[in-house]
Amino acid sequence: MVHQAQGLLVQEVAADGELPSRYVLKEQQGRPAAAAAAQRAAPSIPTVDVSRLADADPSEADKLRSALDSWGLFAVTGHGMTDPFLDAILGAARGFFHLPTEAKQEYSNVVDADDGGRKFQPEGYGVDRVDTDEQVLDWCDRLYLQVRPDKVGDRMPSYARFTYYPPCPRPDLVHGLKPHTDNSVVTVLLLDDQVGGLQVLKDGSWVDVPVLGDGRHQLLVVVGDEMEIMSNAAFRAPVHRVMAPGEEAERVSLAVFYQPEPDKVLEPSPELIDGDRPAMYKKLQAKVFADGFWDAFALGERTIDFLKVKVDAVDPPAAAVSGA
Ligand SMILES: O=C(O)CCC(=O)C(=O)O
Ligand SMILES: [Fe+2]
């Protein structure tokens, strides 16, 4: 059984020019406009030239370490991918989302279930999982695919998530994509080269990730939840969100999530545990964590909290579970 709002594509809603209440955040849910004013004079995100990481001079490696320590993400340069190549990827994504609805629906993430009904699956085209009437929906459609990069091997799954944020009549009232951390070891994120919107939570304030302009593409590496667990919190997954574009704009992005093999046990690496720094997370199977992500995401919670993976985690108060 899928929720009745599951089949509602944001692109179709946007075409009507209305903003249904299902997308509107309540004031206490942290509307983006309220937060944007608070980030003047914000620090800018760190940049790492990955072509220099193996240099005898350790300065770039030091920058990497510091970026991971303090931000959990960095902008990448020196990766060797040309702007026309990256542009072609985003162009293909735009091309897909601009196809007629019927063509895209062939790849729908709502599929036939064994019981004769319909069910949601993470892979495919559509909106994120809708569980309840109360869930405030994000202003984006997505195409989520398992990908098989040559060099990562067969068993480590990687997922590509193309996200399309249609024009929005009131971007100040909605989440393009709600605050979250990523379900990955690391995520590589290719941002729209024209339209900004990604923000990272740093020391309690939202910081904009800028568009570079001049046809240059912003590529980020982001620490995911699994890295946080395996590194025993030496590296923490940054909370990030996306502001919806305005009425005249649309935005696309591509996130590639590198995940552990489903059968692997996820736990802090033994070398990173000692008397001064005991294990901060409990052991669990990567598959259990990955499944829990979708339950947590629908509630607007971190998987680490939802599954109580922290060693001293106690039962969350009821409000934390029912709120969003
Ligand atoms: O659209 C973006 O810039 C971010 C996407 C994102 O955070 C995600 O897909 O997990
Ligand atoms: Fe993300």
Side-chain angles (χ1 to χ4, degrees):
M1 265 287 283
V2 291
H3 192 278
Q4 35 116 358
Q6 189 68 65
L8 213 58
L9 298 162
V10 180
Q11 202 172 354
E12 309 260 288
V13 172
D16 288 343
E18 301 286 312
L19 180 60
S21 58
R22 288 228 52 144
Y23 300 89
V24 177
L25 294 159
K26 299 190 185 65
E27 261 169 81
Q28 67 273 24
Q29 286 174 318
R31 288 179 176 168
Q39 55 145 17
R40 250 168 245 125
S44 51
I45 60 163
T47 299
V48 175
D49 179 346
V50 288
S51 71
R52 295 188 43 214
L53 284 178
D55 284 1
D57 167 6
S59 64
E60 208 62 22
D62 290 346
K63 270 167 75 181
L64 172 66
R65 173 81 210 200
S66 138
L68 291 176
D69 275 349
S70 56
W71 286 80
L73 63 79
F74 56 92
V76 194
T77 60
H79 48 68
M81 288 183 279
T82 64
D83 280 305
F85 172 71
L86 297 175
D87 205 44
I89 295 175
L90 293 177
R94 287 190 194 97
F96 175 81
F97 287 106
H98 289 165
L99 288 172
T101 306
E102 310 76 69
K104 287 178 290 198
Q105 289 288 26
E106 286 184 35
Y107 311 98
S108 176
N109 60 7
V110 180
V111 294
D112 290 335
D114 292 340
D115 64 4
R118 305 273 287 163
K119 66 169 187 191
F120 170 88
Q121 63 173 25
E123 284 174 275
Y125 164 69
V127 296
D128 285 317
R129 204 177 82 190
V130 185
D131 285 351
T132 64
D133 291 343
E134 289 73 42
Q135 194 178 327
V136 178
L137 304 183
D138 292 341
W139 192 259
C140 63
D141 295 331
R142 63 187 182 79
L143 175 66
Y144 190 76
L145 304 170
Q146 184 165 6
V147 288
R148 298 175 201 283
D150 286 346
K151 292 179 195 74
V152 183
D154 286 343
R155 291 165 60 209
M156 184 172 165
S158 313
Y159 289 90
R161 175 186 158 125
F162 296 88
T163 307
Y164 176 76
Y165 305 86
C168 181
R170 291 293 304 273
D172 54 323
L173 298 183
V174 307
H175 281 319
L177 190 62
K178 68 169 87 67
H180 66 281
T181 53
D182 286 348
N183 171 31
S184 65
V185 179
V186 288
T187 305
V188 177
L189 193 53
L190 172 62
L191 301 183
D192 196 297
D193 56 321
Q194 316 267 334
V195 181
L198 177 65
Q199 296 186 323
V200 185
L201 192 62
K202 170 82 169 112
D203 303 327
S205 302
W206 290 104
V207 176
D208 281 314
V209 178
V211 169
L212 297 177
D214 301 328
R216 290 174 305 154
H217 292 74
Q218 187 76 275
L219 198 74
L220 304 183
V221 170
V222 183
V223 168
D225 289 336
E226 282 95 340
M227 172 82 88
E228 179 171 321
I229 294 172
M230 293 186 304
S231 73
N232 202 25
F235 303 140
R236 287 176 192 264
V239 176
H240 51 287
R241 70 177 183 184
V242 178
M243 316 258 285
E247 237 164 340
E248 306 296 327
E250 60 175 22
R251 180 176 183 276
V252 289
S253 68
L254 167 61
V256 179
F257 304 103
Y258 294 94
Q259 294 180 353
E261 294 163 30
D263 294 338
K264 276 252 152 71
V265 171
L266 212 54
E267 62 182 323
S269 175
E271 304 89 67
L272 299 173
I273 298 172
D274 59 31
D276 294 335
R277 197 176 171 82
M280 294 174 64
Y281 304 93
K282 301 172 201 162
K283 272 189 196 184
L284 82 171
Q285 214 195 0
K287 184 182 181 330
V288 172
F289 193 85
D291 290 345
F293 172 81
W294 297 103
D295 297 325
F297 189 74
L299 289 167
E301 284 188 37
R302 283 200 69 191
T303 318
I304 282 179
D305 298 330
F306 179 80
L307 293 178
K308 297 185 211 133
V309 188
K310 286 196 181 129
V311 162
D312 54 2
V314 290
D315 284 350
V321 176
S322 60

